[in-house]
Amino acid sequence: ETGVTQTPRHLVMGMTNKKSLKCEQHLGHNAMYWYKQSAKKPLELMFVYSLEERVENNSVPSRFSPECPNSSHLFLHLHTLQPEDSALYLCASSQRRETGELYGYTFGSGTRLTVV
Amino acid sequence: TQLLEQSPQFLSIQEGENLTVYCNSSSVFSSLQWYRQEPGEGPVLLVTVVTGGEVKKLKRLTFQFGDARKDSSLHITAAQPGDTGLYLCAGAPTDNQGGKLIFGQGTELSVKP
């Protein structure tokens, strides 16, 4: 299997549930990202793991928790979400040089999350 | 905060017409990328431009990076229904910590047969 794989593709969860989104890349990239895509808004960066360094966006609520056990896997743990968190969550990977230059992202197909 | 403004946000045209999508910012970017996204899928990279004034062509698509590296355009010649989708520009900040990209809000293109 090649590219970036996200599971599940669709998820409906209640506000009191705990769930996790999974992302796996088979490209040998050294950086992985979580983005949130809502209607009529630009893609919002949530979290970055790059060159084994975690860079967080401080505006992300603590009900979202990332985990990157190795360079190929990325998780987004969800708990006590709100209806406004319903969106398409996209995972991406890229190859980043130590000088900071990066090549284009390869995105997964996303997880369509609905919070009820 | 660096922003990328795309215009137009929506574009509906007939097959065979030409169109241009613009991506503008007041900030300088070290590189700029264009993606195309179809419903239910993630964005797919079309091109990366790095040098100010650079022009790249991909079949009927022409991409240009502004001389000052603050803006870019995507021109499609003789659009086809298969070109329908959401077009996103994304810039890499010059002080790119963490490898993040700043995305525009997208241009939704519909090409009718």
Side-chain angles (χ1 to χ4, degrees):
Chain A
E1 194 171 356
T2 59
V4 178
T5 304
Q6 284 189 246
T7 54
R9 289 294 305 271
H10 301 274
L11 179 61
V12 179
M13 59 186 288
M15 289 189 283
T16 58
N17 289 160
K18 288 185 180 182
K19 296 286 184 183
S20 295
L21 310 185
K22 180 183 175 182
C23 177
E24 187 173 357
Q25 60 102 356
H26 307 274
L27 301 166
H29 288 167
N30 58 14
M32 296 186 77
Y33 314 82
W34 282 115
Y35 276 84
K36 176 183 178 182
Q37 188 174 33
S38 305
K40 301 182 181 179
K41 283 187 176 182
L43 269 73
E44 300 172 57
L45 178 66
M46 299 179 73
F47 300 105
V48 180
Y49 280 84
S50 176
L51 295 173
E52 300 181 8
E53 164 194 345
R54 178 177 165 185
V55 178
E56 285 191 50
N57 183 324
N58 292 330
S59 64
V60 180
S62 59
R63 56 186 183 268
F64 296 92
S65 174
E67 179 189 359
C68 189
N70 54 59
S71 60
S72 299
H73 294 85
L74 186 64
F75 295 89
L76 188 63
H77 303 299
L78 317 171
H79 65 97
T80 59
L81 294 191
Q82 304 298 311
E84 59 265 29
D85 296 322
S86 298
L88 181 67
Y89 288 84
L90 290 163
C91 172
S93 70
S94 72
Q95 185 63 23
R96 181 174 175 236
R97 298 178 181 177
E98 290 187 7
T99 52
E101 297 167 340
L102 60 80
Y103 299 97
Y105 285 2
T106 300
F107 281 91
S109 297
T111 295
R112 172 66 63 184
L113 174 66
T114 304
V115 182
V116 297
Chain B
T1 303
Q2 291 176 291
L3 294 174
L4 276 168
E5 299 281 344
Q6 275 188 249
S7 62
Q9 289 193 37
F10 300 95
L11 194 53
S12 181
I13 60 172
Q14 293 295 128
E15 183 176 1
E17 292 183 14
N18 301 331
L19 67 114
T20 302
V21 177
Y22 299 94
C23 180
N24 296 298
S25 176
S26 58
S27 304
V28 176
F29 292 96
S30 60
S31 66
L32 198 136
Q33 300 169 3
W34 285 90
Y35 292 81
R36 178 166 159 261
Q37 184 178 19
E38 296 190 34
E41 298 297 330
V44 175
L45 178 67
L46 296 174
V47 76
T48 301
V49 284
V50 178
T51 307
E54 183 177 1
V55 176
K56 280 192 175 179
K57 291 193 175 184
L58 186 66
K59 297 184 180 178
R60 294 176 293 101
L61 278 60
T62 301
F63 305 86
Q64 186 163 7
F65 201 11
D67 291 341
R69 291 186 290 137
K70 292 182 179 182
D71 54 84
S72 181
S73 64
L74 157 61
H75 182 80
I76 301 179
T77 304
Q80 299 177 0
D83 296 326
T84 294
L86 178 67
Y87 288 83
L88 299 161
C89 66
T94 51
D95 59 343
N96 198 354
Q97 296 182 3
K100 67 179 182 183
L101 287 176
I102 308 296
F103 280 84
Q105 74 271 43
T107 294
E108 211 163 320
L109 172 65
S110 173
V111 183
K112 294 179 170 42

